[in-house]
């Protein structure tokens, strides 16, 4: 490594893509958790593998959203510089929504009667 | 240390087998798998949590005014290796937890069963004093644990992409540290509840 590589100004697009994709994956997991609680039919639809039940659909939907959005956003932002603070704020808000959606006292509010 | 935690926990679980109705009198070979399932979280969890402190220190101290160029090079290698190892461990933990351990946890007892000790979910829900371990503890753990591998993978990718240039990017470093702290927090929630639930309603 040389001082030049340390000061190399790499475009931040790929990192912004990864951060927002991480947020989207988390928010999707949170959303699926709430929807599964609110709707028995969605809960059944997320039962992708019976031994582990709807947890499989909820978590794998989150992982698919993470990976798919990462690929799409990476292609869009590759080689570009994006204003970092708004992008990071969006990513952190999405991550926060994921945390909120997976918190039992929150998703229990939406429980189907 | 992670391996030591696993071995000690395995020995501890094996030593308790004679105290359980279902396993008393059984040879140690027949309870070995059971104890390994109960202790595997200790291996993955301890490795992840131990690596966390090193990763956080590495990210926090990645500042050009604190580290020489030679120091940055050496530090970046350790940081990248540590973060990708953590990501691999986190993915392995949630996949094993959801697809290997969780089916045992939620297994349905046969009609009319009165002894629910082999069916942890139903065992916990049968008693109002333990139901919260499932309704709050397990419900939180089984979902939130999946945020850890996602968040730590993002951090590992960003550190690998920027390399030493990350030292000059304070905003990016702060955001990555927040992702990293959330990864740790979610892994800790999953690990702590897993350990407690396994004590209240052990997997059989």
């Amino acid at each position: 490594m040389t001082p030049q590589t340390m000061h190399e100004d790499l475009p931040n697009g790929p990192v912004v893509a990864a951060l927002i994709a991480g947020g989207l994956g988390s928010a999707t997991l949170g959303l699926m958790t709430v929807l599964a609680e609110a709707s028995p039919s969605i809960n059944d639809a997320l039962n992708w593998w019976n031994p582990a039940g709807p947890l499989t659909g909820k978590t794998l939907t989150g992982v698919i959203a993470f990976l798919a959005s990462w690929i799409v956003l990476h292609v869009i932002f590759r080689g570009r510089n994006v204003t970092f603070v708004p992008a990071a704020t969006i990513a952190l808000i999405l991550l926060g929504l994921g945390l909120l959606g997976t918190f039992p006292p929150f998703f229990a509010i939406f429980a189907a009667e | 240390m992670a391996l030591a935690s696993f071995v000690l926990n395995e020995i501890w679980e094996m030593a308790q087998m004679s105290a359980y109705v279902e396993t008393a009198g059984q040879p140690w070979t027949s309870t070995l798998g059971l104890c390994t399932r109960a202790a595997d979280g200790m291996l993955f969890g301890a490795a992840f949590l131990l690596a966390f402190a090193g990763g956080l220190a590495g990210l926090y101290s990645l500042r050009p005014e604190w580290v020489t160029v030679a120091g940055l090079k050496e530090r970046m290698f350790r940081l990248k290796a540590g973060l990708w190892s953590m990501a691999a461990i986190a993915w392995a933990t949630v996949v094993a937890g959801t697809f290997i351990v969780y089916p045992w946890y939620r297994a349905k007892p046969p009609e009319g069963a009165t002894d629910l000790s082999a069916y942890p979910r139903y065992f916990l829900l049968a008693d109002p004093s333990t139901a919260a371990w499932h309704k709050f503890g397990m419900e939180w753990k089984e979902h939130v644990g999946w945020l850890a591998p996602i968040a730590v993978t993002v951090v590992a990718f960003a550190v690998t992409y920027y390399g030493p240039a990350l030292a000059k990017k304070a905003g990016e470093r702060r955001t990555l540290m927040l992702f990293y702290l959330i990864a740790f927090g979610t892994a800790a929630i999953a690990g702590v509840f897993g350990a407690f639930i396994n004590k209240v309603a052990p997997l059989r």
Side-chain angles (χ1 to χ4, degrees):
Chain A
M1 185 188 67
T2 64
Q4 283 73 29
T5 57
M6 184 180 150
H7 295 275
E8 190 181 353
D9 199 17
L10 292 163
N12 67 7
V15 169
V16 165
L19 286 167
I20 294 178
L24 279 171
S26 304
T28 303
L29 173 59
L31 179 66
M32 289 299 134
T33 307
V34 170
L35 290 177
E37 195 71 16
S39 161
S41 59
I42 293 177
N43 192 55
D44 292 343
L46 290 168
N47 187 0
W48 292 1
W49 186 56
N50 207 39
L55 182 62
T56 49
K58 288 184 261 184
T59 55
L60 293 180
T61 305
V63 172
I64 290 166
F66 168 52
L67 296 175
S69 63
W70 192 356
I71 292 167
V72 171
L73 291 169
H74 186 84
V75 171
I76 293 170
F77 291 142
R78 174 176 57 186
R80 289 175 54 186
N81 263 312
V82 181
T83 314
F84 186 74
V85 172
T89 305
I90 289 168
L92 287 167
I93 288 171
L94 289 169
L95 190 56
L97 289 174
L99 286 169
L100 183 65
T102 54
F103 187 55
F106 179 76
F107 66 69
I109 295 170
F110 304 92
E113 293 302 320
Chain B
M1 281 184 74
L3 192 60
S5 305
F6 170 73
V7 171
L8 288 172
N9 193 238
E10 179 88 14
I11 293 168
W12 173 251
E13 294 290 344
M14 292 291 286
Q16 293 182 88
M17 288 297 104
S18 60
Y20 294 118
V21 174
E22 304 87 351
T23 52
Q26 289 187 19
W28 70 272
T29 46
S30 65
T31 58
L32 185 64
L34 179 68
C35 294
T36 303
R37 287 204 301 270
D40 65 353
M42 195 62 76
L43 179 66
F44 290 132
F48 186 88
L49 299 180
L50 284 168
F52 167 78
L56 184 64
L59 275 175
Y60 182 76
S61 63
L62 202 63
R63 298 155 190 249
E65 66 271 25
W66 285 10
V67 194
T68 63
V69 172
L72 258 180
K73 185 180 179 184
E74 185 257 349
R75 187 163 296 198
M76 283 313 299
F77 174 76
R78 266 190 294 144
L79 195 54
K80 286 178 200 173
L83 287 170
W84 283 115
S85 300
M86 286 177 73
I89 289 167
W91 283 112
T93 307
V94 293
V95 168
T98 300
F99 293 96
I100 298 173
V101 180
Y102 187 61
W104 279 313
Y105 172 84
R106 75 188 293 272
K108 202 172 179 180
E111 283 292 320
T114 51
D115 178 11
L116 299 176
S117 58
Y119 306 93
R121 181 178 187 272
Y122 294 87
F123 176 80
L124 292 175
L125 288 172
D127 183 347
S129 71
T130 57
W133 283 109
H134 172 77
K135 289 180 179 171
F136 181 77
M138 192 64 193
E139 291 276 13
W140 197 15
K141 163 196 162 57
E142 73 192 31
H143 295 107
V144 84
W146 277 84
L147 299 185
I150 292 175
V152 82
T153 300
V154 169
V155 176
F157 169 79
V159 169
T160 304
Y161 174 77
Y162 278 136
L166 184 59
K168 300 287 281 183
K169 295 179 179 293
E172 279 85 340
R173 208 175 55 242
R174 272 197 296 273
T175 305
L176 293 174
M177 281 175 62
L178 276 172
F179 261 68
Y180 189 66
L181 285 167
I182 288 168
F184 171 74
T186 53
I189 290 164
V192 166
F193 275 110
F196 280 128
I197 290 167
N198 195 46
K199 290 299 158 201
V200 180
L203 284 170
R204 295 278 189 272

